[in-house]
Amino acid sequence: MKKMKKKGWFSLIYLLAISAGFYWVSPAPAMERVLIPRGSYLNIGPAELAAMLEKKDFLFVNVHIPYGGEIAKTDTHIPFNKIEENLEKFPQEKGEKTVIYCRSGPMSAVASRTLVRLGYTNILNLVGGIRAWEKAGYHLVEGPKRE
């Protein structure tokens, strides 16, 4: 009976570890529309973002906490869990393009869902965040010290 209990716990921990590993190692594909209640947002990859930054025509927001650096041309840093408290920093016109990113992806996904829930209709999320950006060969910049 003890072997069954130990084996059961081991199996559970193993499955959780594998699930977590797949989540972090294999983020959602880039250029994929994510449907959520009240709308959707678009996942983009580092190559798509790099091309967009050449002719930047969007608000570019780092939502990672704690602040740990940024991609060039970032407009502002707004913690992912403080989006609703900082709506004045977002476009008044809710259809304007806004690109969100964080360190590895989950915080920007939460921020993207929050913005869609609040009526924003042109939200893009950098899948894999800064980690994916660096892995693709792009660099971070020394940004201003932010919260």
Side-chain angles (χ1 to χ4, degrees), residues 8-129:
W9 278 108
F10 178 78
S11 296
L12 178 62
I13 291 169
Y14 179 74
L15 287 173
L16 290 172
I18 293 294
S19 297
F22 283 130
Y23 178 77
W24 292 105
V25 173
S26 302
M31 295 304 289
E32 175 182 73
R33 177 75 43 197
V34 178
L35 301 173
I36 60 172
R38 299 189 191 178
S40 66
Y41 62 90
L42 182 66
N43 279 333
I44 61 171
E48 291 84 14
L49 176 59
M52 291 172 61
L53 286 170
E54 289 179 17
K55 289 192 333 185
K56 186 174 175 290
D57 63 348
F58 54 89
L59 176 67
F60 194 28
V61 184
N62 179 352
V63 298
H64 188 76
I65 53 175
Y67 176 80
E70 62 190 42
I71 297 170
K73 299 187 181 181
T74 296
D75 294 305
T76 190
H77 174 258
I78 302 169
F80 82 101
N81 60 348
K82 306 255 188 226
I83 296 293
E84 292 185 64
E85 298 165 24
N86 289 280
L87 290 178
E88 74 281 356
K89 295 179 182 177
F90 289 92
Q92 279 191 314
E93 173 54 49
K94 293 185 176 186
E96 287 187 35
K97 190 184 317 176
T98 303
V99 178
I100 308 294
Y101 74 94
C102 65
R103 181 78 185 147
S104 60
M107 291 180 189
S108 62
V110 169
S112 296
R113 287 192 301 269
T114 299
L115 288 165
V116 169
R117 180 178 50 80
L118 294 170
Y120 289 84
T121 59
N122 199 0
I123 303 298
L124 292 83
N125 173 47
L126 177 60
V127 175

